[in-house]
């Protein structure tokens, strides 16, 4: 972990800016190079990919997967945990290198549910309360939780967020779908609005944000304090800056940042595929998908689009 002594208070951001733009935690994707580029396109806060608290606290090798620097601010480190002690240990280790610590209560994957982490916790308010208490007792770094709406009972969601608030959570993010719903299904604006009206801490809304129009609708219908995007930012990292499609300058910035950070070629390749989806023909996409080295990717982008990258 690398960190230079600079902090920008997320809590101060909530006070200064009524509507925050946030990059969601994304496994493999919301890493250093991508987060750095997002800062140039009106993203206020960026989350790391979800990390397992018990593994992070016990393995130096695992901790090396998280890096940050002076340009990566504010950054929220997200953990998945089922044991308050593991979460507290991980929080102590990462606190000097982060601007916020988030507990994942929303990961819908089956393996996570079986491990009693992620969305499993969204249905267990007592466990979330214990987790938040453990983090707040261990560190002074702001703490948040990211949840999903309860599958059947809105009052359970309200109970969850109120318990978290009681333990001192600093903000809450709610995804407006249950763990069983597909990402193509509509977001439940009413569930998000209910959470916003049930607590006094700031609330971020996640789900269905692919454009500024989507963000505006979310604000109008829920009154939240910020919006969080995942797939929308993968496809267009400049969406919060008002671009309808990823500008080539953004592609260029990302590839150069990825090369500088030593991002694995497969991850860089996936990012570029997402970013250029709207401009590549199906024939070109098939050809680009076969590229397996950084020089090949750089050469293709230079020849086809004039993108200038330094290997």
């Amino acid at each position: 972990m690398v960190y230079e002594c600079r902090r920008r208070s997320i809590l101060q951001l909530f006070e200064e800016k009524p509507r925050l733009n946030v990059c969601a935690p994304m496994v493999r994707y919301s890493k250093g190079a991508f987060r750095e580029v997002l800062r140039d396109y009106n993203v206020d806060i960026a989350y790391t990919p979800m990390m397992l608290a018990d593994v992070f606290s016990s393995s130096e090798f695992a901790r090396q997967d998280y890096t940050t620097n002076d340009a990566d601010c504010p950054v929220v480190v997200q953990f998945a945990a089922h044991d308050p002690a593991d979460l507290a240990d991980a929080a102590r280790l990462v606190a000097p290198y982060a601007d916020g610590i988030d507990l994942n209560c929303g990961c819908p994957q089956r393996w996570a549910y079986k491990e009693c982490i992620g969305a499993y916790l969204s249905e267990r308010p007592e466990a979330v309360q214990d987790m938040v208490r453990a983090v707040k007792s261990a560190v002074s770094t702001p703490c948040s939780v990211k949840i999903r709406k309860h599958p059947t009972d809105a009052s359970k969601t309200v109970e969850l967020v109120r318990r978290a608030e009681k333990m001192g959570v600093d903000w809450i993010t709610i995804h407006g779908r249950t763990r069983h719903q597909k990402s193509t299904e509509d977001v439940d604006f009413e569930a998000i609005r209910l959470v916003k009206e049930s607590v006094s801490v700031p609330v971020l809304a996640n789900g269905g944000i692919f454009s500024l129009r989507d963000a505006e609708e979310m604000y109008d219908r829920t009154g939240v304090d910020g919006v969080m995007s995942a797939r929308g930012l993968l496809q267009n990292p400049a969406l919060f800056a008002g671009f309808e499609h990823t500008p080539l300058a953004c592609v260029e910035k990302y590839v150069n940042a990825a090369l500088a950070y030593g991002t694995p070629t497969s991850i860089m390749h996936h990012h570029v595929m997402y970013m250029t989806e709207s401009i590549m023909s199906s024939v070109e996409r098939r050809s680009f998908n076969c590229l397996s080295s950084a020089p090949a990717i750089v050469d293709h982008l230079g020849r086809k689009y004039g993108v200038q990258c330094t290997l």
Side-chain angles (χ1 to χ4, degrees), residues 158-195:
V158 171
E159 180 187 0
L160 172 65
V161 296
R162 284 179 173 170
R163 281 178 179 259
E165 181 181 38
K166 185 177 180 180
M167 289 300 101
V169 77
D170 293 291
W171 74 93
I172 293 165
T173 303
I174 176 168
H175 190 125
R177 301 184 184 96
T178 72
R179 71 181 182 91
H180 304 290
Q181 289 182 282
K182 296 179 180 179
S183 60
T184 53
E185 295 185 53
D186 291 340
V187 170
D188 188 338
F189 292 104
E190 180 61 23
I192 296 172
R193 185 188 64 79
L194 183 60
V195 167

Side-chain angles (χ1 to χ4, degrees), residues 9-10 32 67 69 87 118 121-122 128 148 153 168-169 173 193 203 227 241 283 304:
S9 170
I10 293 176
T67 60
N69 56 46
L87 183 59
L121 296 175
S122 276
V128 174
R148 284 180 178 264
D153 190 346
V169 77
T173 303
R193 185 188 64 79
V203 173
V227 294
V283 173
K304 290 286 293 186

Side-chain angles (χ1 to χ4, degrees), residues 11-57:
L11 303 185
Q12 187 175 346
L13 263 181
F14 277 117
E15 294 178 359
E16 294 175 350
K17 190 174 180 181
R19 296 181 170 186
L20 295 184
N21 305 319
V22 184
C23 170
M26 291 177 277
V27 174
R28 294 185 300 276
Y29 295 124
S30 59
K31 293 195 172 185
F34 188 60
R35 297 196 304 267
E36 180 173 316
V37 171
L38 292 174
R39 313 287 184 183
D40 290 335
Y41 294 96
N42 208 24
V43 168
D44 300 299
I45 302 169
Y47 281 55
T48 69
M50 180 186 78
M51 296 181 283
L52 300 176
D54 56 348
V55 176
F56 188 89
S57 60

